[in-house]
Amino acid sequence: MDQALDLMRRLPPHNVQDNLSMLVELAPHLTEELLCRVDQPLQVAHDHVAQKDFLLCDYNRDGDSYRSPWSSAFFPPLEDGAQPSAELRQLEAEANDVFSAYREQYFEGGVSSVYLWDLEGGFAGCFLIKKDASDGKKALLSNGYWDSIHVVEVAVDGGNATYKLTSTVILSLNTKAKIDLGGSLTRQSEEVLPVSEGHIVNIGTMIEEMEGKLRNSLDQVYFGKTREVVSALRLPVDDTMRADSKQGISLQANLISEMLRKNNKAGTPIKPSNMNS
């Protein structure tokens, strides 16, 4: 299993579904564990009752059907599908409205879904966001997506609650310059907060802070490294830029002149003849 997960981490994220399918064929005895532990891009379905899109994941699946957070109906229809309690269903509906507003403010589009389910002594939830490059401006992108998956477990104890949050971001970008950039990050946090502010406020604050940290990490790890590599690239030297060509000699002269100017300005003049050594 460790080798299989290590292999998946090194393969392109935008091909994760195909790679996972081939890996399952090679090691069928690892199928269940791989499907649980490998993060896959979120899929979108449509709720024909509420006329809204929703996201598919293991947390709203029952058999081959998926429950919509908007109407709580299953698609394809399922008569006795698992449902949250009435109180938790009301909290789920409120969380979907709040999280949808959060998505619009931070992502300017996309699809979001919130699913809650009952646990002994509390409840758990999954907060999902998917933003495709096609949803907004894509002047430099050919395709790409951002998937946020936040799973929180809440244990209530009197006036306080313990919130355990596990957040994963999956990013895949394909530019028109034929540069593919992708990867995923997972982080965890735990806080004990008073329930007087409300579970939605507490969970929302934790998710907002976590997504900020994940964005910064992605910028440093992926974009920062890419900028470093790109800035170190140089155009190949062709025949017109050879050292003994007219343009090559002119370039050398300009470089020597610029170096002399800078050194003279710094008060440490050097002779042009020194440049040949």
Side-chain angles (χ1 to χ4, degrees):
M1 174 54 65
D2 291 339
Q3 288 81 359
L5 294 174
D6 189 56
L7 178 62
M8 289 300 301
R9 281 193 290 268
R10 283 165 168 74
L11 293 172
H14 59 275
N15 292 331
V16 63
Q17 291 176 307
D18 293 336
N19 295 332
L20 183 59
S21 177
M22 290 186 288
L23 191 58
V24 165
E25 290 182 8
L26 291 173
H29 61 286
L30 299 176
T31 299
E32 185 175 349
E33 192 170 357
L34 281 171
L35 292 176
C36 292
R37 297 183 61 177
V38 175
D39 294 311
Q40 301 183 58
L42 297 171
Q43 302 297 318
V44 181
H46 187 68
D47 183 340
H48 301 287
V49 177
Q51 293 300 314
K52 289 185 177 182
D53 291 336
F54 65 99
L55 297 172
L56 311 182
C57 67
D58 284 340
Y59 301 102
N60 70 321
R61 181 171 63 88
D62 193 337
D64 294 328
S65 298
Y66 292 86
R67 184 174 67 88
S68 167
W70 305 110
S71 64
S72 203
F74 279 88
F75 300 91
L78 186 66
E79 294 182 0
D80 55 349
Q83 295 279 357
S85 62
E87 182 180 359
L88 198 61
R89 171 57 190 156
Q90 182 178 356
L91 183 64
E92 182 184 73
E94 295 173 1
N96 273 282
D97 291 337
V98 172
F99 208 54
S100 179
Y102 167 85
R103 171 186 49 78
E104 284 293 339
Q105 291 180 357
Y106 278 87
F107 294 85
E108 298 181 353
V111 182
S112 63
S113 296
V114 178
Y115 304 103
L116 303 180
W117 59 95
D118 295 277
L119 293 177
E120 185 177 352
F123 65 93
C126 183
F127 296 71
L128 309 173
I129 291 178
K130 184 176 187 67
K131 174 63 186 277
D132 285 321
S134 58
D135 292 338
K137 300 178 181 178
K138 48 179 299 185
L140 301 176
L141 296 177
S142 57
N143 57 72
Y145 61 85
W146 169 291
D147 287 351
S148 296
I149 305 170
H150 305 278
V151 180
V152 61
E153 184 177 332
V154 183
V156 181
D157 184 10
N160 295 326
T162 301
Y163 300 88
K164 297 180 180 179
L165 175 66
T166 301
S167 299
T168 300
V169 166
I170 306 173
L171 175 67
S172 179
L173 298 175
N174 306 108
T175 71
K176 294 180 179 179
K178 297 182 179 180
I179 296 177
D180 295 341
L181 182 65
S184 64
L185 286 177
T186 299
R187 297 289 185 270
Q188 294 181 320
S189 67
E190 181 175 338
E191 292 189 34
V192 178
L193 301 171
V195 297
S196 57
E197 293 291 334
H199 292 301
I200 295 178
V201 173
N202 292 339
I203 296 173
T205 301
M206 291 181 66
I207 289 177
E208 185 177 20
E209 292 176 354
M210 180 62 77
E211 285 212 328
K213 294 177 182 177
L214 289 170
R215 286 193 190 96
N216 291 335
S217 296
L218 285 169
D219 181 62
Q220 295 171 6
V221 174
Y222 294 107
F223 294 104
K225 188 63 177 179
T226 301
R227 283 194 294 266
E228 181 182 339
V229 172
V230 171
S231 64
L233 296 176
R234 297 291 184 271
L235 291 174
V237 177
D238 55 19
D239 291 338
T240 62
M241 293 298 292
R242 291 174 60 87
D244 56 352
S245 68
K246 185 176 180 180
Q247 291 186 11
I249 294 172
S250 175
L251 176 61
Q252 291 180 39
N254 290 335
L255 289 173
I256 292 172
S257 175
E258 184 66 18
M259 292 178 68
L260 287 170
R261 185 184 65 81
K262 290 185 177 181
N263 279 279
N264 288 330
K265 184 180 294 184
T268 56
I270 61 174
K271 296 180 180 179
S273 58
N274 292 341
M275 297 300 298
N276 297 325
S277 57

